[in-house]
Amino acid sequence: MSVATERAELSALAPLKPQATGRWRGFVLPVAAIALWSLAASFELVNSALLVAPGKVLATAWEQIETGRLWRALSASLAREATGFMIGTLGGLVLGALLGLSPLFNRLVGPSFNTFKQISLFAWIPLISVWFGLGDVAKVVFLSLAALVPVVVNTCDGIRTTPKALLEVARVYGFTRWQTVTQVVLPSALPAIFTGVYLALVYSWLATIGAEYLLVAGKGIGNTLIEGSEHFRMDLVLFGMVVIGSVGWAMNASARWLERRLARWLGRAA
């Protein structure tokens, strides 16, 4: 093998090494945290009633999986999250598009919406519980509100920030209003809209846990935390926290993957 060939192969492999190493850097902090957790529990540096050993949490996880309690709680939470996310996202897309495209609608509704979005999400809990009770309907309404606001804001901003040069080109080519909206404005606003949908997914999952914790009727991962807290079972509380974090990470990874696929598709379409 010639020297030139060896150099070419090394140069081709060089960019892959940092990328492969970078994939594992995100595991450094969790591994270190688990190691410190194990040491603190083994040497009883912390009250064992307050911080149980990782092995106890694993045993609880196996018990929850074997008895099916994990799947029942997780499926209930995910069903509420999906329903609230879809309702809030669809409503947000419609309202955001109307605010961004219609100056008249923006003047009529915009000030009221700007006031509405300043109200803390959890401030709606007393009103929702009175109107809809403590069941799944109340929780879905709460999740829909959590998903609605980021989608409206990002959709409206994305439409309003359409480059004027693109609008001028559409005018020169004689586009109709409908063609301008569908072929110029909406494609230009898609990145902002996707950001709003991504935030709605994150906020609705966080709101799911909050709703289950505050509106305690029914099953869900939030109710698992409540059960562990009421019975002073820190293993159950820590297990619930790990599940919540893992599901959130999976949602984030899926949204980022979809975003990359969408960006490549838009690039090919352009």
Side-chain angles (χ1 to χ4, degrees), residues 176-188:
T176 64
R177 173 72 171 172
W178 176 252
Q179 288 176 319
T180 302
V181 170
T182 57
Q183 299 182 30
V184 177
V185 176
L186 290 182
S188 174

Side-chain angles (χ1 to χ4, degrees), residues 85 194-202 247-263:
F85 168 73
F194 190 86
T195 299
V197 173
Y198 168 74
L199 291 175
L201 182 66
V202 174
V247 172
W249 175 85
M251 287 182 176
N252 180 75
S254 300
R256 292 304 184 192
W257 175 83
L258 183 60
E259 182 181 20
R260 289 192 296 268
R261 293 291 298 269
L262 181 62

